[in-house]
Amino acid sequence: MDDNGFDWGTFLRRWQDEWVPSEDDAEELAEGDVTLADLALASPPASEDEVADAERRLGTRLPPSYRGFLLTSNGWTLRDDSIYQLGAAHEIGWFGDPFSMTPMYRQSLDERATEQQVLLAGMWERALQLETDSDMSYALLDPGDTDDDGEWALYVYKGWSGEYPTRYPSFRAYMQRRYESFHAERAQLPEFVNDTTRARDADVARAREEALSGRWEAARELLVVAKRYGRPGAGGMLGQLDVLAQGVGHGGMYFGGLVADPRCTDELVPVMALARARDSRPHLDARRFPLGVETDDGVQAAADAILARVRDGSYRYAPGGDFGRAVAEAREAARWGDTDGAWRVIRAALPSWSPPAPGLLAPLGLLADPVLGPVVTRERGRELLATPRAGRTGTVPEPVPDVDPPGLSWLAESRRWNAPYGSYRCLWVEGVEPDALPGLVGEDRSAGLTAPPVRPAGWFPHDVRRQRAESAPWEDRAVVAVGRTGSGWAFGFDPAARTRGPGHFFVSPAAEASRGGGRAVVLWIRRGRDDLPAVFHLSVAERGEVLYAFTVRGTDVERSGPVPEALDPAGVLSGADGTDHERRLLAALEEELGLSLPRHALSEGILPELTTRSWNRAPREGEVFAYATVSSGRPRP
């Protein structure tokens, strides 16, 4: 930090002039133990000779910002921290590591230690101690940790905290932070009004206009500073920008006093509820939902109800007006897999969003909706912030790219999230809506689709899917995620088929599925390994009859019906390395039948589900079906 041009006199006089007693100070004044004169912050300036004498005694020239400070005020009282008094020039001295911190810090160094960690380990023995009164705390300037301007880093070590020291790049940076903290400590006092508070409040108002006009990064810079000064509304607005820019779960979930405003409940509380619901620690369920500020009973009751809906997956973000109608349209698109189309609808409607309360900057409630929340990726959150809203004008940002790749080839990506067992299968039906699939292939023809299970953060859809325990050993019911492709095919996708692929009792569900109208396609792929060949099965049916099918196991091919040349494995798979067979087959299906799957909706687990009838038939008379169960546990004595 270049200290040239910094006016210590103006800075320190402003601090002294703005000073008002804290609550503790006011008590001391009321009891008569101290007077206002006793509470003065500044001291008379040191002379050049006094500073030079200190430098000769210490054997070093003091860093620029600290030297300039002493020549303006020879010491300073800090009443709002664990450092109470900064000493005068004749009182400072080398720390000398009286508590033997150096060996402890050096012991933790290894080959991965950063430069900063190495500097900290050596700081204790070479640091200059500045404070003369404190609560077991130390202000230490380190001549070994310097910058290009000759400034020494300042470390504050609170001996009672058990934490690492806090580092500031210079003495000036430390004093600036203490000044900001002084303001934050008194921000709620009604009589604490001065030029600085008025300037920072103006920054908050300007940040709001910048944010609603799409200039969110400029708004954030203003709010970061205003928050350090404790200005009302700054933290709540900054929290909104950070959640959309970084995503839920990155950093704290803090919206300040805005949460207590009932007009903000539907935008802010759902996001807080989502962050809490994703924390799977059981002991949190029994505790009251903490909102971070005092609220009335109505807001708390509404928050508890929202948390319950977020936890069971029934929460729906439903704002009013034109934006609310766009949200409903987007949800209908996303619930069947078209997350890119859903985002286009939301994007177009963003200018019509209007904040129900002045402190709100964006439609945060979107993030907690179980269907629409995953649509708003981190990149789209930033696009949302960069889009003018609430009647403001500004430059419209370039649309971020769609997240779904076309077709099916993405399924062949190695180490995919959705093939943990090396096997996946899918059913497509042409000319029917997704909610018709239960009547065609469901285990219960009269049952509808079920909502996807709620999963904690970090879990994949297949980790939390419900499994049937009462099935017969030969049965193979698939739990499929149901949706619609861009070309209008309904689909059911099982990303984690646990069986070894189609076997002797396999009966393709394509025939039954095709009774609904158009064609039906079944694809089942199991990747090979050293002891197990790869399996590729494809069957296509129409009007209840299988038109053609083939199953490739290693180098063996079983086929029936006239397989089109574009799909014939003899041509599609010939001449390719075994690892490329899957990609070639998927590309052929894209080209010949126009099939696709929505990767983002499947990876986020937002699609409704269906448990199908068994993909295996029952063993016939004379047929043998063998199976084994493996259990683990302690052996009986």
Side-chain angles (χ1 to χ4, degrees):
M1 177 184 291
D2 185 357
D3 207 52
N4 293 333
F6 182 73
D7 188 343
W8 276 104
T10 299
F11 173 71
L12 296 177
R13 278 194 302 273
R14 182 171 68 246
W15 193 342
Q16 180 69 72
D17 292 344
E18 291 173 349
W19 184 86
V20 297
S22 66
E23 291 183 6
D24 291 341
D25 293 331
E27 288 181 10
E28 291 185 44
L29 288 169
E31 294 169 358
D33 294 337
V34 297
T35 66
L36 281 175
D38 295 330
L39 299 178
L41 306 179
S43 299
S47 66
E48 282 283 359
D49 287 343
E50 287 177 302
V51 173
D53 286 344
E55 289 176 332
R56 280 193 293 272
R57 174 171 56 83
L58 298 170
T60 186
R61 184 173 176 83
L62 297 173
S65 66
Y66 182 57
R67 203 174 194 279
F69 162 77
L70 291 174
L71 292 171
T72 306
S73 177
N74 195 16
W76 192 260
T77 300
L78 294 162
R79 302 193 61 84
D80 300 315
D81 193 29
S82 58
I83 302 288
Y84 302 148
Q85 182 70 44
L86 295 175
H90 68 278
E91 295 175 307
I92 61 176
W94 297 114
F95 184 56
D97 193 12
F99 308 115
S100 300
M101 305 294 285
T102 302
M104 180 174 64
Y105 274 76
R106 283 182 173 164
Q107 189 176 26
S108 65
L109 299 177
D110 56 25
E111 65 277 1
R112 294 171 295 180
T114 65
E115 180 183 0
Q116 193 58 57
Q117 290 171 323
V118 174
L119 285 172
L120 175 59
M123 181 271 295
W124 309 96
E125 293 180 338
R126 60 177 179 257
L128 184 65
Q129 183 176 356
L130 305 186
E131 91 294 334
T132 56
D133 187 17
S134 71
D135 178 13
M136 294 180 60
S137 298
Y138 308 91
L140 306 173
L141 274 175
D142 181 10
D145 186 352
T146 63
D147 63 15
D148 294 339
D149 299 313
E151 293 291 353
W152 302 2
L154 186 145
Y155 291 84
V156 172
Y157 176 61
K158 299 178 180 179
W160 42 265
S161 71
E163 299 174 351
Y164 280 92
T166 301
R167 180 186 183 275
Y168 302 86
S170 68
F171 177 79
R172 174 186 161 189
Y174 167 69
M175 290 293 281
Q176 178 66 39
R177 187 70 191 94
R178 296 269 31 92
Y179 174 65
E180 294 164 351
S181 297
F182 148 75
H183 265 266
E185 288 283 339
R186 292 159 176 78
Q188 302 304 318
L189 298 177
E191 69 274 17
F192 189 64
V193 179
N194 49 58
D195 288 345
T196 301
T197 63
R198 285 188 283 268
R200 298 290 81 78
D201 288 342
D203 286 345
V204 173
R206 183 154 63 96
R208 178 177 183 271
E209 291 303 310
E210 293 283 298
L212 291 176
S213 300
R215 297 183 289 273
W216 70 275
E217 291 171 304
R220 190 180 187 283
E221 290 180 4
L222 293 168
L223 292 171
V224 165
V225 175
K227 182 184 178 183
R228 291 204 299 261
Y229 281 84
R231 300 319 302 159
M237 291 185 185
L238 182 62
Q240 296 173 62
L241 299 183
D242 285 349
V243 167
L244 277 166
Q246 301 174 25
V248 177
H250 295 268
M253 196 68 59
Y254 175 78
F255 303 117
L258 288 175
V259 178
D261 187 338
R263 297 172 296 176
C264 301
T265 300
D266 290 337
E267 293 288 3
L268 303 182
V269 172
V271 182
M272 299 174 70
L274 178 61
R276 186 170 178 84
R278 286 184 171 181
D279 192 328
S280 58
R281 290 177 290 177
H283 70 275
L284 291 180
D285 295 339
R287 296 183 180 178
R288 191 178 190 189
F289 181 18
L291 298 178
V293 294
E294 289 188 15
T295 64
D296 60 34
D297 291 342
V299 170
Q300 184 66 54
D304 291 338
I306 288 172
L307 176 60
R309 295 201 301 273
V310 168
R311 276 186 169 145
D312 66 19
S314 64
Y315 172 76
R316 298 293 182 269
Y317 177 58
D322 292 341
F323 187 70
R325 286 185 283 275
V327 166
E329 180 184 346
R331 184 183 294 109
E332 183 62 20
R335 70 185 289 254
W336 299 123
D338 186 10
T339 55
D340 289 331
W343 177 245
R344 287 190 284 271
V345 172
I346 293 171
R347 174 199 291 148
L350 281 174
S352 69
W353 178 80
S354 182
L360 291 174
L361 302 180
L364 258 69
L366 277 168
L367 301 178
D369 189 294
V371 175
L372 294 177
V375 170
V376 188
T377 61
R378 178 179 175 181
E379 293 74 21
R380 286 170 173 169
R382 296 186 175 201
E383 183 184 1
L384 186 159
L385 290 174
T387 302
R389 306 174 295 283
R392 302 326 191 261
T393 58
T395 304
V396 177
E398 285 291 323
V400 299
D402 287 348
V403 297
D404 271 334
L408 297 172
S409 295
W410 62 269
L411 286 163
E413 295 172 3
S414 61
R415 298 187 180 276
R416 289 182 300 105
W417 64 271
N418 57 355
Y421 304 104
S423 182
Y424 60 90
R425 52 189 170 182
C426 190
L427 165 73
W428 291 268
V429 184
E430 188 179 29
V432 302
E433 289 300 310
D435 51 16
L437 289 185
L440 296 174
V441 296
E443 65 173 345
D444 182 350
R445 292 179 183 270
S446 62
L449 300 171
T450 60
V454 178
R455 57 192 176 107
W459 286 52
F460 297 120
H462 55 76
D463 292 325
V464 290
R465 283 187 165 159
R466 296 172 290 274
Q467 301 297 323
R468 290 176 56 94
E470 68 273 17
S471 298
W474 53 267
E475 289 182 313
D476 178 23
R477 291 182 172 89
V479 180
V480 295
V482 174
R484 183 194 300 117
T485 72
S487 55
W489 294 66
F491 70 81
F493 182 70
D494 178 6
R498 289 170 167 80
T499 60
R500 289 192 165 195
H504 295 298
F505 298 148
F506 169 69
V507 176
S508 171
E512 284 293 314
S514 68
R515 297 183 188 278
R519 293 169 296 175
V521 178
V522 165
L523 173 70
W524 193 338
I525 291 180
R526 187 200 68 203
R527 290 176 174 167
R529 58 177 192 253
D530 292 342
D531 60 334
L532 207 63
V535 176
F536 304 95
H537 170 83
L538 176 70
S539 48
V540 179
E542 188 172 13
R543 297 180 182 178
E545 298 291 336
V546 175
L547 301 178
Y548 55 88
F550 67 77
T551 302
V552 179
R553 287 186 176 84
T555 57
D556 297 330
V557 180
E558 303 171 8
R559 68 176 70 215
S560 62
V563 179
E565 183 179 356
L567 297 175
D568 194 320
V572 172
L573 305 182
S574 65
D577 181 82
T579 58
D580 199 39
H581 286 174
E582 179 183 359
R583 189 178 303 277
R584 283 201 175 193
L585 179 58
L586 293 170
L589 286 170
E590 292 176 24
E591 182 70 23
E592 179 70 8
L593 299 175
L595 298 178
S596 62
L597 286 171
R599 180 177 67 182
H600 190 64
L602 290 168
S603 65
E604 292 293 337
I606 66 175
L607 300 178
E609 294 188 339
L610 166 68
T611 300
T612 71
R613 294 192 291 278
S614 175
W615 290 37
N616 281 340
R617 62 171 175 80
R620 295 168 183 156
E621 186 177 353
E623 292 180 329
V624 176
F625 182 85
Y627 69 96
T629 26
V630 178
S631 60
S632 60
R634 293 183 178 179
R636 294 181 179 180

